[in-house]
Every structure is written in structure tokens, then in C-alpha cells.
Amino acid sequence: MNNSFKEIYDRIYNQNEIQNIEKAYRKRSSNILKFFGLAMLVSFIFPPSLLLIIPIFAVYMIMSSSKEKMAAEEEYLELYKLKFILPLFREVFQDVQYRPKEPLSFDRYLEAEYKDKFINVDEIKTYSSNDHIVLPVEIRGEGIGYLDIYDVKLEKKTSGSSRKLTIFDGLTASITLPKSINTKIKLTPKVISNIIDNSKVDNLISTNNPEFDNYFALTAEQGELASRIYTADVMQRLMEIFNANKKIFSINIINDKLYVRVSCFSPLDLVVVFGNEKHVHMEKTIISIETIKEVTCLIYEVINNLEK
């Protein structure tokens, strides 16, 4: 844990009495469970003539308790984000906007055309997105626009089972570029792209950088343009970001849009329910946002400096 981040985390945590908020939530959750248990106990001491009522009563109490628990958790999350995550983001990122309950739609997510370990959209069992982060971005002191960052989770159906497999859990971001490249250039980490045999990948570009090609698959219809963007210096810098932050990222350039996606475990909502370990996950979320910002600035500047 970075000491400076830990100091910021603890200060905001203590200033906003987050521990009291968490205690109130745990107490409410405990009371809900006690109420459920008491109701079940009472149902089983009914006389035999009322046996038909027991299942109905039990189902009613389960549904009521579940609904009440979800309401308690939602209230807790809302208060936690307002009292803790928002101040923390403002401390770490200048002029950041944090907008809970402003999710990214599935259709907008698909516009980025990320490569995942599923073939068809129909294979996705669940898609979830909760919050929106708006982050102003500067290059050499000059503002270039705003990054729209969302938390996203995708789960896949497994054949012959009701179980779901997580295929992506992290943050996705987009920004409008200063010019359109009038084509698509995609950089996908091989660990999540399901690329095993390079010969079977359409429009795969060899960068002549073995280390880079070992981690990433660069695909483009216009190989010459891709090479002008992913120069030796750019690839070296991307590898430095990858090695320093230990974050797996994808970069898709589609006409005048730049999309960057970073895998990170349970970025926002679950950060608040991990007990003593949540500060570790919160720092990982901050690092993921920093990774997106660094990658965005790098690619944005390269494209802005491209000659026609």
C-alpha cells in the first residue's frame, strides 16, 4: 500500500465518520436476519391445523427480508459513495466528477468493439454498470477534453450449467480525438482476447517487438497507419505503464473515438463491502483510473501529431 494514499484514505475515512455508517448498516442487516429467524421460529410452533400457512408465511418473510436487505444495502452504498468515494476522488483527481447511478448502456458499451472471450453477444448472460466518472484530461498543461469512465461487468453463460463466468470486470473509458483516422485500429491483450494462433487472426500486425507482441495483438486494416501510431517509443511507453501499474488494458481507436478499458476487480460497488481489505481494492481502482488516463494521453497526443 502506498503510504501517501493510505494517509489520504484514512483521513477522509475518519473525517466523514465512515465507520459509523458501516456500523449502522451492519446493525440494520443483523436486525433483518434476527427478524427473519424469529418469524421462522414462530411459524414452526403453529398447530398442525395451520400447516398450510407455514410455507406461505415462510415465503412471504423470505421475500420481505430480502427486499429490506437490498434496500438497506442500496442506502448504504449511496451514502458511502457520497461521504467517502466522492471526497476521495476529489482529493486524488483534480476537478473530477463522480456520478453514482449513471450507468453505461450495453449498446454504448458495444460501440467500443472490445474483443473478449465470447463469440456472440448472445453468449453474455448478464451486463452491469453502475457509476460514471468524468475526468478532465490535460497534455503538457493544455486541456484536451473529458474522459467518460464507467464501471462494467460482463458474465458469460456456461454450457450445460446455470453458472456464470466473469469475462470482464473493470473500467471502460472513451474520449473524442482531435481528428478521425477513418478506420479501426485495435490493441488487445492476448490474455483476454482468446488469441492462441496468430495465423488465424485477421489483419494482425507484427510490430517487430517480440515483448510487445507477446502481450498484445495489434489489428488494423491499414497496417502502415497502425505502425505510425504504435511506434517503438509508444510501444515502449505502453509496456512501461503495463509493468508499473500491473493493469491489463485494451485500446481501440475507431474513427474519431478512443476507447480504453482496464481490468480491475470490482471497481466501485464491491469496494465498499470488503471490510478491512477495501482500502486495498480502492487503491487498485485509483491505479486503474490513472492507467486509463496515461494511456489516453499517450495515444491522443500521437494521433494529434499525425501528418495527413
Side-chain angles (χ1 to χ4, degrees), residues 162-184:
S162 60
R163 295 178 58 190
K164 294 178 289 186
L165 175 68
T166 299
I167 54 177
F168 178 76
D169 191 1
L171 301 174
T172 181
S174 65
I175 194 170
T176 300
L177 294 167
K179 63 183 70 173
S180 176
I181 63 171
N182 298 315
T183 188
K184 301 176 183 180

mmCIF file with all atom_site columns, all heavy atoms in Angstrom, residues 162-184:
data_model
loop_
_atom_site.group_PDB
_atom_site.id
_atom_site.type_symbol
_atom_site.label_atom_id
_atom_site.label_alt_id
_atom_site.label_comp_id
_atom_site.label_asym_id
_atom_site.label_entity_id
_atom_site.label_seq_id
_atom_site.pdbx_PDB_ins_code
_atom_site.Cartn_x
_atom_site.Cartn_y
_atom_site.Cartn_z
_atom_site.occupancy
_atom_site.B_iso_or_equiv
_atom_site.pdbx_formal_charge
_atom_site.auth_seq_id
_atom_site.auth_comp_id
_atom_site.auth_asym_id
_atom_site.auth_atom_id
_atom_site.pdbx_PDB_model_num
ATOM 1   N N   . SER A 1 162 ? -26.133 -23.522 -15.086 1.00 0.00 ? 162 SER A N   1
ATOM 2   C CA  . SER A 1 162 ? -26.706 -22.202 -14.807 1.00 0.00 ? 162 SER A CA  1
ATOM 3   C C   . SER A 1 162 ? -25.651 -21.244 -14.274 1.00 0.00 ? 162 SER A C   1
ATOM 4   O O   . SER A 1 162 ? -25.934 -20.073 -14.035 1.00 0.00 ? 162 SER A O   1
ATOM 5   C CB  . SER A 1 162 ? -27.843 -22.334 -13.782 1.00 0.00 ? 162 SER A CB  1
ATOM 6   O OG  . SER A 1 162 ? -27.340 -22.887 -12.566 1.00 0.00 ? 162 SER A OG  1
ATOM 7   N N   . ARG A 1 163 ? -24.444 -21.735 -14.087 1.00 0.00 ? 163 ARG A N   1
ATOM 8   C CA  . ARG A 1 163 ? -23.358 -20.903 -13.573 1.00 0.00 ? 163 ARG A CA  1
ATOM 9   C C   . ARG A 1 163 ? -22.941 -19.847 -14.584 1.00 0.00 ? 163 ARG A C   1
ATOM 10  O O   . ARG A 1 163 ? -23.083 -20.020 -15.789 1.00 0.00 ? 163 ARG A O   1
ATOM 11  C CB  . ARG A 1 163 ? -22.152 -21.767 -13.205 1.00 0.00 ? 163 ARG A CB  1
ATOM 12  C CG  . ARG A 1 163 ? -22.409 -22.719 -12.052 1.00 0.00 ? 163 ARG A CG  1
ATOM 13  C CD  . ARG A 1 163 ? -21.173 -23.551 -11.795 1.00 0.00 ? 163 ARG A CD  1
ATOM 14  N NE  . ARG A 1 163 ? -20.015 -22.712 -11.509 1.00 0.00 ? 163 ARG A NE  1
ATOM 15  C CZ  . ARG A 1 163 ? -18.761 -23.180 -11.446 1.00 0.00 ? 163 ARG A CZ  1
ATOM 16  N NH1 . ARG A 1 163 ? -18.515 -24.457 -11.689 1.00 0.00 ? 163 ARG A NH1 1
ATOM 17  N NH2 . ARG A 1 163 ? -17.766 -22.367 -11.168 1.00 0.00 ? 163 ARG A NH2 1
ATOM 18  N N   . LYS A 1 164 ? -22.396 -18.749 -14.067 1.00 0.00 ? 164 LYS A N   1
ATOM 19  C CA  . LYS A 1 164 ? -21.924 -17.663 -14.922 1.00 0.00 ? 164 LYS A CA  1
ATOM 20  C C   . LYS A 1 164 ? -20.416 -17.488 -14.732 1.00 0.00 ? 164 LYS A C   1
ATOM 21  O O   . LYS A 1 164 ? -19.899 -17.615 -13.628 1.00 0.00 ? 164 LYS A O   1
ATOM 22  C CB  . LYS A 1 164 ? -22.660 -16.362 -14.599 1.00 0.00 ? 164 LYS A CB  1
ATOM 23  C CG  . LYS A 1 164 ? -24.150 -16.397 -14.920 1.00 0.00 ? 164 LYS A CG  1
ATOM 24  C CD  . LYS A 1 164 ? -24.837 -15.103 -14.528 1.00 0.00 ? 164 LYS A CD  1
ATOM 25  C CE  . LYS A 1 164 ? -24.929 -14.962 -13.025 1.00 0.00 ? 164 LYS A CE  1
ATOM 26  N NZ  . LYS A 1 164 ? -25.725 -13.780 -12.631 1.00 0.00 ? 164 LYS A NZ  1
ATOM 27  N N   . LEU A 1 165 ? -19.744 -17.182 -15.824 1.00 0.00 ? 165 LEU A N   1
ATOM 28  C CA  . LEU A 1 165 ? -18.306 -16.971 -15.801 1.00 0.00 ? 165 LEU A CA  1
ATOM 29  C C   . LEU A 1 165 ? -18.019 -15.496 -16.081 1.00 0.00 ? 165 LEU A C   1
ATOM 30  O O   . LEU A 1 165 ? -18.475 -14.947 -17.083 1.00 0.00 ? 165 LEU A O   1
ATOM 31  C CB  . LEU A 1 165 ? -17.633 -17.843 -16.861 1.00 0.00 ? 165 LEU A CB  1
ATOM 32  C CG  . LEU A 1 165 ? -16.131 -17.652 -17.050 1.00 0.00 ? 165 LEU A CG  1
ATOM 33  C CD1 . LEU A 1 165 ? -15.371 -18.133 -15.823 1.00 0.00 ? 165 LEU A CD1 1
ATOM 34  C CD2 . LEU A 1 165 ? -15.657 -18.404 -18.297 1.00 0.00 ? 165 LEU A CD2 1
ATOM 35  N N   . THR A 1 166 ? -17.274 -14.843 -15.186 1.00 0.00 ? 166 THR A N   1
ATOM 36  C CA  . THR A 1 166 ? -16.917 -13.435 -15.403 1.00 0.00 ? 166 THR A CA  1
ATOM 37  C C   . THR A 1 166 ? -15.904 -13.333 -16.535 1.00 0.00 ? 166 THR A C   1
ATOM 38  O O   . THR A 1 166 ? -14.836 -13.944 -16.483 1.00 0.00 ? 166 THR A O   1
ATOM 39  C CB  . THR A 1 166 ? -16.329 -12.814 -14.127 1.00 0.00 ? 166 THR A CB  1
ATOM 40  O OG1 . THR A 1 166 ? -17.307 -12.867 -13.079 1.00 0.00 ? 166 THR A OG1 1
ATOM 41  C CG2 . THR A 1 166 ? -15.928 -11.367 -14.368 1.00 0.00 ? 166 THR A CG2 1
ATOM 42  N N   . ILE A 1 167 ? -16.257 -12.556 -17.556 1.00 0.00 ? 167 ILE A N   1
ATOM 43  C CA  . ILE A 1 167 ? -15.339 -12.379 -18.685 1.00 0.00 ? 167 ILE A CA  1
ATOM 44  C C   . ILE A 1 167 ? -14.705 -10.992 -18.696 1.00 0.00 ? 167 ILE A C   1
ATOM 45  O O   . ILE A 1 167 ? -13.677 -10.792 -19.340 1.00 0.00 ? 167 ILE A O   1
ATOM 46  C CB  . ILE A 1 167 ? -16.036 -12.648 -20.026 1.00 0.00 ? 167 ILE A CB  1
ATOM 47  C CG1 . ILE A 1 167 ? -17.292 -11.802 -20.157 1.00 0.00 ? 167 ILE A CG1 1
ATOM 48  C CG2 . ILE A 1 167 ? -16.366 -14.117 -20.184 1.00 0.00 ? 167 ILE A CG2 1
ATOM 49  C CD1 . ILE A 1 167 ? -17.999 -11.967 -21.474 1.00 0.00 ? 167 ILE A CD1 1
ATOM 50  N N   . PHE A 1 168 ? -15.318 -10.060 -17.991 1.00 0.00 ? 168 PHE A N   1
ATOM 51  C CA  . PHE A 1 168 ? -14.663 -8.767  -17.792 1.00 0.00 ? 168 PHE A CA  1
ATOM 52  C C   . PHE A 1 168 ? -15.246 -8.091  -16.564 1.00 0.00 ? 168 PHE A C   1
ATOM 53  O O   . PHE A 1 168 ? -16.452 -8.083  -16.355 1.00 0.00 ? 168 PHE A O   1
ATOM 54  C CB  . PHE A 1 168 ? -14.819 -7.833  -18.994 1.00 0.00 ? 168 PHE A CB  1
ATOM 55  C CG  . PHE A 1 168 ? -14.185 -6.483  -18.755 1.00 0.00 ? 168 PHE A CG  1
ATOM 56  C CD1 . PHE A 1 168 ? -12.804 -6.347  -18.827 1.00 0.00 ? 168 PHE A CD1 1
ATOM 57  C CD2 . PHE A 1 168 ? -14.950 -5.381  -18.409 1.00 0.00 ? 168 PHE A CD2 1
ATOM 58  C CE1 . PHE A 1 168 ? -12.197 -5.124  -18.554 1.00 0.00 ? 168 PHE A CE1 1
ATOM 59  C CE2 . PHE A 1 168 ? -14.363 -4.157  -18.147 1.00 0.00 ? 168 PHE A CE2 1
ATOM 60  C CZ  . PHE A 1 168 ? -12.985 -4.018  -18.222 1.00 0.00 ? 168 PHE A CZ  1
ATOM 61  N N   . ASP A 1 169 ? -14.362 -7.505  -15.771 1.00 0.00 ? 169 ASP A N   1
ATOM 62  C CA  . ASP A 1 169 ? -14.769 -6.749  -14.588 1.00 0.00 ? 169 ASP A CA  1
ATOM 63  C C   . ASP A 1 169 ? -13.780 -5.604  -14.456 1.00 0.00 ? 169 ASP A C   1
ATOM 64  O O   . ASP A 1 169 ? -12.602 -5.825  -14.199 1.00 0.00 ? 169 ASP A O   1
ATOM 65  C CB  . ASP A 1 169 ? -14.740 -7.647  -13.350 1.00 0.00 ? 169 ASP A CB  1
ATOM 66  C CG  . ASP A 1 169 ? -15.407 -7.000  -12.151 1.00 0.00 ? 169 ASP A CG  1
ATOM 67  O OD1 . ASP A 1 169 ? -15.913 -5.874  -12.281 1.00 0.00 ? 169 ASP A OD1 1
ATOM 68  O OD2 . ASP A 1 169 ? -15.426 -7.630  -11.067 1.00 0.00 ? 169 ASP A OD2 1
ATOM 69  N N   . GLY A 1 170 ? -14.238 -4.379  -14.675 1.00 0.00 ? 170 GLY A N   1
ATOM 70  C CA  . GLY A 1 170 ? -13.302 -3.270  -14.607 1.00 0.00 ? 170 GLY A CA  1
ATOM 71  C C   . GLY A 1 170 ? -13.895 -1.961  -15.061 1.00 0.00 ? 170 GLY A C   1
ATOM 72  O O   . GLY A 1 170 ? -15.079 -1.687  -14.867 1.00 0.00 ? 170 GLY A O   1
ATOM 73  N N   . LEU A 1 171 ? -13.046 -1.128  -15.669 1.00 0.00 ? 171 LEU A N   1
ATOM 74  C CA  . LEU A 1 171 ? -13.435 0.212   -16.091 1.00 0.00 ? 171 LEU A CA  1
ATOM 75  C C   . LEU A 1 171 ? -13.247 0.370   -17.598 1.00 0.00 ? 171 LEU A C   1
ATOM 76  O O   . LEU A 1 171 ? -12.284 -0.140  -18.165 1.00 0.00 ? 171 LEU A O   1
ATOM 77  C CB  . LEU A 1 171 ? -12.592 1.264   -15.369 1.00 0.00 ? 171 LEU A CB  1
ATOM 78  C CG  . LEU A 1 171 ? -12.653 1.260   -13.836 1.00 0.00 ? 171 LEU A CG  1
ATOM 79  C CD1 . LEU A 1 171 ? -11.652 2.257   -13.271 1.00 0.00 ? 171 LEU A CD1 1
ATOM 80  C CD2 . LEU A 1 171 ? -14.050 1.591   -13.340 1.00 0.00 ? 171 LEU A CD2 1
ATOM 81  N N   . THR A 1 172 ? -14.181 1.078   -18.223 1.00 0.00 ? 172 THR A N   1
ATOM 82  C CA  . THR A 1 172 ? -14.056 1.403   -19.639 1.00 0.00 ? 172 THR A CA  1
ATOM 83  C C   . THR A 1 172 ? -14.196 2.911   -19.802 1.00 0.00 ? 172 THR A C   1
ATOM 84  O O   . THR A 1 172 ? -14.963 3.551   -19.068 1.00 0.00 ? 172 THR A O   1
ATOM 85  C CB  . THR A 1 172 ? -15.104 0.659   -20.490 1.00 0.00 ? 172 THR A CB  1
ATOM 86  O OG1 . THR A 1 172 ? -14.921 0.989   -21.870 1.00 0.00 ? 172 THR A OG1 1
ATOM 87  C CG2 . THR A 1 172 ? -16.506 1.035   -20.082 1.00 0.00 ? 172 THR A CG2 1
ATOM 88  N N   . ALA A 1 173 ? -13.449 3.475   -20.747 1.00 0.00 ? 173 ALA A N   1
ATOM 89  C CA  . ALA A 1 173 ? -13.454 4.928   -20.920 1.00 0.00 ? 173 ALA A CA  1
ATOM 90  C C   . ALA A 1 173 ? -13.438 5.288   -22.395 1.00 0.00 ? 173 ALA A C   1
ATOM 91  O O   . ALA A 1 173 ? -13.010 4.504   -23.250 1.00 0.00 ? 173 ALA A O   1
ATOM 92  C CB  . ALA A 1 173 ? -12.241 5.544   -20.222 1.00 0.00 ? 173 ALA A CB  1
ATOM 93  N N   . SER A 1 174 ? -13.897 6.504   -22.673 1.00 0.00 ? 174 SER A N   1
ATOM 94  C CA  . SER A 1 174 ? -13.875 6.992   -24.055 1.00 0.00 ? 174 SER A CA  1
ATOM 95  C C   . SER A 1 174 ? -13.622 8.497   -24.076 1.00 0.00 ? 174 SER A C   1
ATOM 96  O O   . SER A 1 174 ? -13.932 9.207   -23.109 1.00 0.00 ? 174 SER A O   1
ATOM 97  C CB  . SER A 1 174 ? -15.202 6.685   -24.762 1.00 0.00 ? 174 SER A CB  1
ATOM 98  O OG  . SER A 1 174 ? -16.269 7.392   -24.160 1.00 0.00 ? 174 SER A OG  1
ATOM 99  N N   . ILE A 1 175 ? -13.059 8.946   -25.195 1.00 0.00 ? 175 ILE A N   1
ATOM 100 C CA  . ILE A 1 175 ? -12.831 10.377  -25.405 1.00 0.00 ? 175 ILE A CA  1
ATOM 101 C C   . ILE A 1 175 ? -12.823 10.623  -26.915 1.00 0.00 ? 175 ILE A C   1
ATOM 102 O O   . ILE A 1 175 ? -12.468 9.734   -27.694 1.00 0.00 ? 175 ILE A O   1
ATOM 103 C CB  . ILE A 1 175 ? -11.494 10.837  -24.768 1.00 0.00 ? 175 ILE A CB  1
ATOM 104 C CG1 . ILE A 1 175 ? -11.415 12.365  -24.690 1.00 0.00 ? 175 ILE A CG1 1
ATOM 105 C CG2 . ILE A 1 175 ? -10.295 10.271  -25.515 1.00 0.00 ? 175 ILE A CG2 1
ATOM 106 C CD1 . ILE A 1 175 ? -10.244 12.869  -23.850 1.00 0.00 ? 175 ILE A CD1 1
ATOM 107 N N   . THR A 1 176 ? -13.245 11.805  -27.326 1.00 0.00 ? 176 THR A N   1
ATOM 108 C CA  . THR A 1 176 ? -13.242 12.165  -28.740 1.00 0.00 ? 176 THR A CA  1
ATOM 109 C C   . THR A 1 176 ? -11.859 12.667  -29.129 1.00 0.00 ? 176 THR A C   1
ATOM 110 O O   . THR A 1 176 ? -11.274 13.512  -28.451 1.00 0.00 ? 176 THR A O   1
ATOM 111 C CB  . THR A 1 176 ? -14.294 13.249  -29.030 1.00 0.00 ? 176 THR A CB  1
ATOM 112 O OG1 . THR A 1 176 ? -15.584 12.750  -28.667 1.00 0.00 ? 176 THR A OG1 1
ATOM 113 C CG2 . THR A 1 176 ? -14.307 13.609  -30.506 1.00 0.00 ? 176 THR A CG2 1
ATOM 114 N N   . LEU A 1 177 ? -11.331 12.149  -30.226 1.00 0.00 ? 177 LEU A N   1
ATOM 115 C CA  . LEU A 1 177 ? -9.996  12.506  -30.697 1.00 0.00 ? 177 LEU A CA  1
ATOM 116 C C   . LEU A 1 177 ? -10.017 13.812  -31.491 1.00 0.00 ? 177 LEU A C   1
ATOM 117 O O   . LEU A 1 177 ? -11.070 14.224  -31.999 1.00 0.00 ? 177 LEU A O   1
ATOM 118 C CB  . LEU A 1 177 ? -9.443  11.375  -31.567 1.00 0.00 ? 177 LEU A CB  1
ATOM 119 C CG  . LEU A 1 177 ? -9.166  10.057  -30.838 1.00 0.00 ? 177 LEU A CG  1
ATOM 120 C CD1 . LEU A 1 177 ? -8.941  8.920   -31.834 1.00 0.00 ? 177 LEU A CD1 1
ATOM 121 C CD2 . LEU A 1 177 ? -7.962  10.202  -29.911 1.00 0.00 ? 177 LEU A CD2 1
ATOM 122 N N   . PRO A 1 178 ? -8.871  14.468  -31.627 1.00 0.00 ? 178 PRO A N   1
ATOM 123 C CA  . PRO A 1 178 ? -8.825  15.738  -32.367 1.00 0.00 ? 178 PRO A CA  1
ATOM 124 C C   . PRO A 1 178 ? -9.024  15.567  -33.866 1.00 0.00 ? 178 PRO A C   1
ATOM 125 O O   . PRO A 1 178 ? -9.306  16.527  -34.577 1.00 0.00 ? 178 PRO A O   1
ATOM 126 C CB  . PRO A 1 178 ? -7.422  16.261  -32.057 1.00 0.00 ? 178 PRO A CB  1
ATOM 127 C CG  . PRO A 1 178 ? -6.617  15.035  -31.758 1.00 0.00 ? 178 PRO A CG  1
ATOM 128 C CD  . PRO A 1 178 ? -7.567  14.108  -31.054 1.00 0.00 ? 178 PRO A CD  1
ATOM 129 N N   . LYS A 1 179 ? -8.856  14.345  -34.361 1.00 0.00 ? 179 LYS A N   1
ATOM 130 C CA  . LYS A 1 179 ? -9.072  14.061  -35.779 1.00 0.00 ? 179 LYS A CA  1
ATOM 131 C C   . LYS A 1 179 ? -9.471  12.607  -35.938 1.00 0.00 ? 179 LYS A C   1
ATOM 132 O O   . LYS A 1 179 ? -9.206  11.777  -35.068 1.00 0.00 ? 179 LYS A O   1
ATOM 133 C CB  . LYS A 1 179 ? -7.812  14.357  -36.596 1.00 0.00 ? 179 LYS A CB  1
ATOM 134 C CG  . LYS A 1 179 ? -6.622  13.489  -36.230 1.00 0.00 ? 179 LYS A CG  1
ATOM 135 C CD  . LYS A 1 179 ? -5.362  13.852  -37.021 1.00 0.00 ? 179 LYS A CD  1
ATOM 136 C CE  . LYS A 1 179 ? -4.805  15.183  -36.594 1.00 0.00 ? 179 LYS A CE  1
ATOM 137 N NZ  . LYS A 1 179 ? -3.495  15.478  -37.235 1.00 0.00 ? 179 LYS A NZ  1
ATOM 138 N N   . SER A 1 180 ? -10.120 12.309  -37.051 1.00 0.00 ? 180 SER A N   1
ATOM 139 C CA  . SER A 1 180 ? -10.533 10.943  -37.320 1.00 0.00 ? 180 SER A CA  1
ATOM 140 C C   . SER A 1 180 ? -9.462  10.210  -38.122 1.00 0.00 ? 180 SER A C   1
ATOM 141 O O   . SER A 1 180 ? -8.857  10.788  -39.030 1.00 0.00 ? 180 SER A O   1
ATOM 142 C CB  . SER A 1 180 ? -11.855 10.920  -38.094 1.00 0.00 ? 180 SER A CB  1
ATOM 143 O OG  . SER A 1 180 ? -12.214 9.595   -38.437 1.00 0.00 ? 180 SER A OG  1
ATOM 144 N N   . ILE A 1 181 ? -9.242  8.934   -37.783 1.00 0.00 ? 181 ILE A N   1
ATOM 145 C CA  . ILE A 1 181 ? -8.291  8.144   -38.565 1.00 0.00 ? 181 ILE A CA  1
ATOM 146 C C   . ILE A 1 181 ? -9.008  7.418   -39.702 1.00 0.00 ? 181 ILE A C   1
ATOM 147 O O   . ILE A 1 181 ? -8.370  6.760   -40.525 1.00 0.00 ? 181 ILE A O   1
ATOM 148 C CB  . ILE A 1 181 ? -7.533  7.136   -37.678 1.00 0.00 ? 181 ILE A CB  1
ATOM 149 C CG1 . ILE A 1 181 ? -8.515  6.108   -37.075 1.00 0.00 ? 181 ILE A CG1 1
ATOM 150 C CG2 . ILE A 1 181 ? -6.736  7.858   -36.600 1.00 0.00 ? 181 ILE A CG2 1
ATOM 151 C CD1 . ILE A 1 181 ? -7.829  4.947   -36.371 1.00 0.00 ? 181 ILE A CD1 1
ATOM 152 N N   . ASN A 1 182 ? -10.358 7.524   -39.712 1.00 0.00 ? 182 ASN A N   1
ATOM 153 C CA  . ASN A 1 182 ? -11.197 6.933   -40.780 1.00 0.00 ? 182 ASN A CA  1
ATOM 154 C C   . ASN A 1 182 ? -10.978 5.424   -40.942 1.00 0.00 ? 182 ASN A C   1
ATOM 155 O O   . ASN A 1 182 ? -11.041 4.898   -42.061 1.00 0.00 ? 182 ASN A O   1
ATOM 156 C CB  . ASN A 1 182 ? -10.954 7.658   -42.108 1.00 0.00 ? 182 ASN A CB  1
ATOM 157 C CG  . ASN A 1 182 ? -11.332 9.123   -42.025 1.00 0.00 ? 182 ASN A CG  1
ATOM 158 O OD1 . ASN A 1 182 ? -12.384 9.472   -41.490 1.00 0.00 ? 182 ASN A OD1 1
ATOM 159 N ND2 . ASN A 1 182 ? -10.458 9.992   -42.533 1.00 0.00 ? 182 ASN A ND2 1
ATOM 160 N N   . THR A 1 183 ? -10.701 4.770   -39.853 1.00 0.00 ? 183 THR A N   1
ATOM 161 C CA  . THR A 1 183 ? -10.544 3.309   -39.861 1.00 0.00 ? 183 THR A CA  1
ATOM 162 C C   . THR A 1 183 ? -10.556 2.820   -38.414 1.00 0.00 ? 183 THR A C   1
ATOM 163 O O   . THR A 1 183 ? -10.794 3.608   -37.490 1.00 0.00 ? 183 THR A O   1
ATOM 164 C CB  . THR A 1 183 ? -9.238  2.895   -40.570 1.00 0.00 ? 183 THR A CB  1
ATOM 165 O OG1 . THR A 1 183 ? -9.219  1.465   -40.727 1.00 0.00 ? 183 THR A OG1 1
ATOM 166 C CG2 . THR A 1 183 ? -8.015  3.336   -39.786 1.00 0.00 ? 183 THR A CG2 1
ATOM 167 N N   . LYS A 1 184 ? -10.272 1.539   -38.230 1.00 0.00 ? 184 LYS A N   1
ATOM 168 C CA  . LYS A 1 184 ? -10.242 0.962   -36.886 1.00 0.00 ? 184 LYS A CA  1
ATOM 169 C C   . LYS A 1 184 ? -8.869  0.336   -36.623 1.00 0.00 ? 184 LYS A C   1
ATOM 170 O O   . LYS A 1 184 ? -8.365  -0.416  -37.452 1.00 0.00 ? 184 LYS A O   1
ATOM 171 C CB  . LYS A 1 184 ? -11.324 -0.112  -36.733 1.00 0.00 ? 184 LYS A CB  1
ATOM 172 C CG  . LYS A 1 184 ? -12.735 0.384   -36.981 1.00 0.00 ? 184 LYS A CG  1
ATOM 173 C CD  . LYS A 1 184 ? -13.736 -0.764  -36.917 1.00 0.00 ? 184 LYS A CD  1
ATOM 174 C CE  . LYS A 1 184 ? -15.150 -0.300  -37.239 1.00 0.00 ? 184 LYS A CE  1
ATOM 175 N NZ  . LYS A 1 184 ? -16.125 -1.421  -37.185 1.00 0.00 ? 184 LYS A NZ  1
#
